[in-house]
Amino acid sequence: MGNTEIKAYDRARAARGSQRPSAGGYMKLLIDDFIELHGDRRFGDDPAIFSGVGFLNGEPVTVVAMERGDTIEDRMRRKFGCPTPEGYRKALRLMKEAEKFHRPVLCFIGSSGAYPGIEAEERGQGEAIAENLYEMMTLKTPVISVVVGEGGSGGALALGVGNTVVMLENAIYSVISPEACATILWKDAAKAPEAAEALKFTAENLFEFGVIEKIISETNRTVDEIAAELKDYLTTQIAEKKKLSEKELLDERYNKFRKIGA
């Protein structure tokens, strides 16, 4: 499981690390013969969502990844991985296509949240996220989500409604950032470490709560070693989920989310 003595806020800083591989970066290590697909067929293309089709160990899959970029110019273009409504609609378009062709869906989460700009709100940011939540719950194909970095708020959950949710050891998955939480509760962002402990957003916490099914250890491991274990686990999960009927698949996903917090 990793070192549980590491403070929650240290996990948050690790998840945000500038040298940490992005969601799209991990996807490139796992997926062969990837073809990127663009556009939501309504407004435009969002580079914060890096999506398309490829092969995982020979299995055709649809992949949707939050991509923050590598260089500062690329990160600005991608809004540091914070998707706009067209990004979520592009993701949903590809998921519905995956359902049509019976391809499993892999989602890679690594963003502080949805883009908060006024233009995103004008184009229906809240509706786009809500539509993804609704449609993913009833998607008739296996859905597996992987949190590889910071998974923030509804912007992350919009790709997180999966039959299986996996987290890397130093990733976080939270309804709010510790800084914002501290500002709301104590009017002092400096209390972020205290907020981080209270939010219970580490992989260890979420595994105990049943929010996620698997933690991938990062301690003393290279990115290639982490990706290799993740690839094996995803391959096994897809094989298991494909054995289920559509009803069993949907019931499993429904029951997973109904029992959270019970």
Side-chain angles (χ1 to χ4, degrees), residues 194-225:
E194 297 177 43
E197 295 295 335
L199 285 167
K200 306 293 184 186
F201 56 33
T202 68
E204 288 87 353
N205 296 144
L206 297 172
F207 182 80
E208 291 173 5
F209 297 150
V211 176
I212 67 171
E213 283 70 43
K214 175 72 172 177
I215 301 173
I216 303 292
S217 174
E218 297 183 65
T219 304
N220 299 322
R221 303 179 82 188
T222 66
V223 173
D224 288 341
E225 289 171 337

Side-chain angles (χ1 to χ4, degrees), residues 175-252:
V175 69
I176 191 172
S177 72
E179 294 83 4
C181 179
T183 301
I184 292 170
L185 293 181
W186 298 295
K187 312 299 182 188
D188 184 3
K191 290 186 178 290
E194 297 177 43
E197 295 295 335
L199 285 167
K200 306 293 184 186
F201 56 33
T202 68
E204 288 87 353
N205 296 144
L206 297 172
F207 182 80
E208 291 173 5
F209 297 150
V211 176
I212 67 171
E213 283 70 43
K214 175 72 172 177
I215 301 173
I216 303 292
S217 174
E218 297 183 65
T219 304
N220 299 322
R221 303 179 82 188
T222 66
V223 173
D224 288 341
E225 289 171 337
I226 295 167
E229 181 184 350
L230 184 56
K231 190 171 188 175
D232 289 343
Y233 182 74
L234 294 177
T235 300
T236 301
Q237 282 294 301
I238 287 175
E240 290 180 0
K241 302 309 176 190
K242 289 186 70 175
K243 294 176 184 176
L244 302 177
S245 67
E246 286 185 358
K247 183 179 186 306
E248 289 171 332
L249 195 69
L250 295 177
D251 285 348
E252 179 189 67

Side-chain angles (χ1 to χ4, degrees), residues 29-43:
L29 293 173
L30 299 170
I31 306 301
D32 301 317
D33 300 326
F34 179 75
I35 299 173
E36 186 177 5
L37 300 176
H38 298 273
D40 67 344
R41 303 298 187 266
R42 298 191 195 181
F43 180 82

